[in-house]
Structures are given as structure tokens and as C-alpha cells.
Amino acid sequence: MRLDVITIFPDYLAPLRLSLIGRAVQDGLVDLRVHDLRMWTTDRHRTVDDTPYGGGPGMLMRPEPWGAAFDDVLGPGDAGTADPPARVVVPTPGGRPFTQAMAAELATEPWLVFACARYEGLDQRVLDEAAGRASLDEVSLGDYVVNGGEVAVLVIVEAVARLFPGVIGNAGSLVEESHADGLLEGPGWTKPSMWRGHAVPDVLLSGDHARIARWRRDQALRRTAARRPDLVARLEPDRLDRQDRSLLAELGWVVDPGGTLSRLADAPPPVAD
Ligand code: 6GU
């Protein structure tokens, strides 16, 4: 998988050369190329921003350096080149929310190009130009504002690259983790079995694998109901077993006539978890 990042702060992406992703880069599984947008400026001050037409606070990124960057990074992008089609990702608080499903989809792509905006964002024509020569996704981390796209690229690349075959040693951990099946993962314990008066739940020491699996699923359901009722409402009832349904019913969730889970108005208040 090839990853290009265009930014005015290339040093910000240094963490991608550490840990698991760093190993994948070292091993050649991920071809990471970080570019300084100012390479494509032509004026003495290497200007990348300017005031918005129509007035208003802050600065926007001028289109010319981005156009030159796309020309060099994306290339002509026609059938005459051997390159696979690139997908351009622009992190922005105005984008579609980034999810595990989006991470899984991006992990199937051979080539992602990230364009990091700073200031109040990009001139709209940069986005129009990108959309005209590649498929474009504007992606948001969530409902809050950070100062630039770089931190979002760190998040997105961490989420995407770890799904890439060979990046994570233990593929089983991908199946059981939070969000893999629409539920939050429950709590976990390791040794020692007693620590400062806190015991590990007996069931986990029982050696009864079926009972442990059931208990863990109950924990995941309880936690998801307490912390993320929006996720419970999106579960597909057909994929729930009898015990799932009975536990959810205890927590006030029933399958309504429309076939979706909803919480009874008179259900007891969710318990903190
Ligand atoms: Cl992707 N960028 C910025 N600047 N702020 C954000 C964001 C992205 N996602 C949430 N807030």
C-alpha cells in the first residue's frame, strides 16, 4: 500500500515511523512518502495561505501549491501510467465521520493521498481539482476542531494500516476488538489474579471457554448499552442470539415492529459502566 501525505509540517508525521506502522514502513509493506507542500511554492516567502474572498476571519490555503503538488504526486493519472488509481483523503471537521467501516474500506485501496489543510481550510478549487482527477473523501474525526489535518492523518493511517495483511501479528485481535462487530469491547484482566485487594472475575479463571465467551459477550453488550446506546440501536436483530436479546430486554431494549432495536420509554435508567 502506498501512502502520500502532503503537509506544511512533515515532522508532524514522524510517529508513523514508530511502532507497528513504523515496522510495516521499514519492511516495505507500506510505502510512506511525506511531502512538504512548501516545495511547490514559487515566491520568496513560500506562501501557502491568503485572505478569503468575501471577507471573514482567518486564512485559507491558496490553490497553486496544491495544484503543483497534485501534478507531481498524482501524475497524469491517465491510462498511460502503470499507477493504480489514487484515492485522495482530505481531513476536515466538515467531512464525513471516520468510522471503522471506512477504515476497512480504505485498507483495500492500493494508494491513498492525504492532503493536510491548515488555517481555515482549503480554497474550494483544490477540492474540485482533486475530485476531478481521483476519488475524493473529506473525512472528519468527530465533532470538535483541531488545528490541522496532520493529527487526523496519524489517526486514519493507524486505523487503516493495522488492517493491512501482515501489519498486525495477531489477526485474531482484529476480530474481537471494539467496533469490529458493532459493539464496544468489554474490560480485560491479566496477572496477578489478586492485586491490591481487587480480584479477577472467577469466570475468567474457570477454564470453561464457552462460559467465558458468553460472559465476555454479556460484558460487551452491557458496556455498549451504557456508553453507546446509538450503537445498540444500529445492531441487526437477526445477528443477535437468544441470550443477547434476553440481556438487552433486561436493559430495556426490545425489537420493535419495524425490526430495529429501541429502548422502552419506561426502562430503568442505564447503569454506569
Ligand atoms: Cl479531520 N480536521 C480538523 N482540522 N479538525 C477536526 C477534524 C479534522 N476532525 C475533527 N475535527
Side-chain angles (χ1 to χ4, degrees):
M1 162 177 260
R2 176 174 164 188
L3 302 175
D4 288 87
V5 185
I6 308 169
T7 170
I8 60 170
F9 294 121
D11 292 348
Y12 211 119
L13 285 304
L16 293 180
R17 307 203 181 265
L18 300 175
S19 189
L20 240 53
I21 311 294
R23 166 83 57 83
V25 171
Q26 284 247 298
D27 293 351
L29 242 44
V30 174
D31 174 10
L32 175 67
R33 306 183 193 183
V34 179
H35 312 273
D36 186 346
L37 179 70
R38 291 195 203 272
M39 291 211 333
W40 290 286
T41 56
T42 51
D43 65 311
R44 203 159 55 88
H45 300 291
R46 311 220 290 167
T47 309
V48 293
D49 62 329
D50 215 323
T51 54
Y53 277 117
M59 305 286 268
L60 292 167
M61 297 192 99
R62 290 175 61 102
E64 305 97 315
W66 283 107
F70 289 154
D71 290 346
D72 283 350
V73 172
L74 293 173
D78 57 29
T81 71
D83 291 333
R87 196 143 158 190
V88 175
V89 178
V90 177
T92 163
R96 285 190 300 143
F98 184 62
T99 61
Q100 187 64 30
M102 207 182 290
E105 192 197 318
L106 293 178
T108 69
E109 297 285 342
W111 185 15
L112 302 176
V113 177
F114 293 93
C116 297
R118 282 266 150 182
Y119 315 108
E120 300 302 308
L122 304 171
D123 183 302
Q124 178 58 35
R125 292 167 294 183
V126 175
L127 299 164
D128 299 341
E129 170 80 3
R133 45 197 299 181
S135 80
L136 171 69
D137 293 281
E138 294 180 64
V139 174
S140 164
L141 291 186
D143 294 340
Y144 46 85
V145 175
V146 297
N147 277 331
E150 288 78 8
V151 70
V153 171
L154 294 178
V155 170
I156 295 167
V157 170
E158 278 264 341
V160 169
R162 60 194 293 285
L163 301 178
F164 205 61
V167 173
I168 284 219
N170 180 3
S173 58
L174 295 178
V175 178
E176 289 209 2
E177 69 195 0
S178 286
H179 298 292
D181 59 359
L183 295 177
L184 302 183
E185 195 177 9
W189 288 263
T190 184
K191 288 175 257 313
S193 62
M194 178 66 78
W195 177 74
R196 296 192 177 183
H198 303 280
V200 171
D202 282 338
V203 55
L204 297 177
L205 310 175
S206 70
D208 181 343
H209 298 297
R211 195 157 77 88
I212 291 170
R214 183 64 253 176
W215 185 84
R216 283 186 168 148
R217 182 148 176 101
D218 290 352
Q219 294 281 310
L221 286 162
R222 286 184 187 281
R223 172 171 282 185
T224 308
R227 297 183 180 180
R228 295 295 303 276
D230 59 310
L231 295 183
V232 176
R234 274 186 269 150
L235 292 173
E236 288 175 43
D238 290 351
R239 301 185 54 189
L240 300 173
D241 65 22
R242 286 170 62 96
Q243 171 64 26
D244 293 341
R245 287 161 185 262
S246 124
L247 176 61
L248 287 170
E250 191 186 303
L251 301 173
W253 289 88
V254 291
V255 180
D256 67 25
T260 62
L261 279 160
S262 42
R263 197 151 187 286
L264 293 174
D266 59 353
V271 282
D273 179 58

